[in-house]
């Protein structure tokens, strides 16, 4: 649909100091400004499209104890193509964004994530809706390694590509 979303109620188990987000998605139309793959209430963290009117690169954003961090993929997505989009962040390792298990950008840490309790939405932030088909979404309370991201990709890609 055009305004479908999944909303997950606030829970202490969704308050992170480190994170991995893995989403399988197919973008079906050009996104608008800040269309999210997944979003945490209060803009504490999200995986989203930062620009309107063009199929741009997915980006990851998080609030940290040192301010905030934003990381864009070096590769844009194509319409109607399945992708595994993953982002990791930890105080120790900083952030990495992946497309189909290949690193497409890194950023240094500037502190631990400064997360708070709040709802999580997939394919929406309640104001904008990502024009997409979402296959699955995974959240981890730690930053997975590149090998773990690759393993997840290799064992799930048969469903999508």
């Amino acid at each position: 649909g055009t305004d479908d979303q999944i909303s997950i109620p606030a829970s202490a188990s969704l308050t992170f100091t480190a994170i991995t987000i893995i989403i399988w998605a197919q973008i079906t139309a050009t996104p608008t400004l800040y269309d999210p793959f997944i979003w945490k209430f209060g803009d504490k963290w999200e995986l989203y499209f930062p620009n309107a009117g063009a199929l741009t690169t997915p980006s990851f954003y998080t609030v940290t104890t040192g301010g905030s961090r934003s990381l864009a993929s070096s590769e844009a997505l194509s319409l109607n193509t399945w992708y595994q989009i993953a982002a990791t962040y930890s105080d120790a390792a900083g952030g990495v964004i992946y497309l189909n298990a290949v690193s497409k950008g890194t950023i240094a840490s500037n502190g631990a994530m400064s997360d708070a309790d709040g709802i999580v939405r997939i394919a929406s932030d309640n104001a904008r809706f990502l024009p997409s088909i979402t296959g699955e979404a995974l959240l981890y309370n730690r930053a997975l390694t590149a090998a773990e991201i690759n393993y997840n990709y290799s064992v799930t890609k048969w469903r999508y590509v």
Side-chain angles (χ1 to χ4, degrees):
T2 59
D3 61 357
D4 295 340
Q5 66 177 324
I6 297 170
S7 186
I8 304 164
S11 168
S13 67
L14 293 173
T15 301
F16 302 120
T17 56
I19 194 170
T20 297
I21 302 168
I22 299 176
I23 298 269
W24 274 97
Q26 181 183 127
I27 308 306
T28 56
T30 302
T32 59
L33 185 62
Y34 302 125
D35 279 354
F37 289 100
I38 189 167
W39 170 84
K40 174 77 176 272
F41 179 78
D43 294 329
K44 293 298 184 178
W45 48 261
E46 66 182 314
L47 192 58
Y48 70 104
F49 280 105
N51 299 310
L55 191 59
T56 61
T57 59
S59 296
F60 171 72
Y61 169 86
T62 188
V63 175
T64 69
T65 55
S68 63
R69 301 306 280 164
S70 187
L71 172 61
S73 167
S74 62
E75 184 178 322
L77 304 185
S78 298
L79 288 177
N80 302 310
T81 301
W82 281 102
Y83 293 93
Q84 181 208 56
I85 304 105
T88 65
Y89 184 87
S90 73
D91 186 22
V96 183
I97 193 164
Y98 300 87
L99 290 181
N100 297 336
V102 177
S103 174
K104 297 297 180 176
T106 62
I107 195 163
S109 170
N110 72 341
M113 290 178 65
S114 180
D115 201 358
D117 211 11
I119 61 171
V120 173
R121 290 209 168 94
I122 299 171
S124 173
D125 62 4
N126 211 36
R128 293 170 289 270
F129 297 90
L130 183 65
S132 67
I133 301 168
T134 300
E136 61 186 81
L138 303 168
L139 292 172
Y140 295 85
N141 63 356
R142 66 183 181 88
L144 268 59
T145 66
E148 290 171 313
I149 297 288
N150 187 56
Y151 178 78
N152 178 278
Y153 176 77
S154 68
V155 300
T156 59
K157 69 180 180 180
W158 66 270
R159 300 176 188 151
Y160 306 102
V161 293

